[in-house]
């Protein structure tokens, strides 16, 4: 059985949620919430997925400028 942590919005913050509804790694920064979820996922063999809202938020961000 695979554990899934989904990244979603909690008020103005982002967090990873498991199937029980427990939130982990809550942060106002989406990337910090993803990093926290990935650390937890590595420890317990879980998979991290982004909610549609998180995916849309990432797509709306400007692309980072390439380093020269």
């Amino acid at each position: 059985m695979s554990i899934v942590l989904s990244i979603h919005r909690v008020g103005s913050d982002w967090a990873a949620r498991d199937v029980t509804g427990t939130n982990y790694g809550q942060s106002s920064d989406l990337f910090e919430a993803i990093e926290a979820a990935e650390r937890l996922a590595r420890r317990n063999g879980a998979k991290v997925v982004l909610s549609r809202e998180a995916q849309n938020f990432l797509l709306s961000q400007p692309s980072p400028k390439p380093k020269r």
Side-chain angles (χ1 to χ4, degrees), residues 1-7 16-20 22 24 33-50:
M1 181 171 149
S2 176
I3 300 169
V4 175
L5 297 171
S6 62
I7 305 295
R17 178 173 57 199
D18 64 12
V19 321
T20 67
T22 304
Y24 303 96
I34 292 170
E35 286 178 19
E38 289 175 342
R39 282 192 305 271
L40 180 60
R42 280 192 297 273
R43 281 185 274 169
N44 63 17
K47 177 181 175 182
V48 177
V49 297
L50 299 178

Side-chain angles (χ1 to χ4, degrees), residues 8-15 26-30 33 53 57:
H8 66 101
R9 182 79 78 175
V10 178
S12 62
D13 291 342
W14 296 97
Q26 190 165 333
S27 174
S28 60
D29 182 353
L30 176 58
E53 183 179 16
F57 180 81

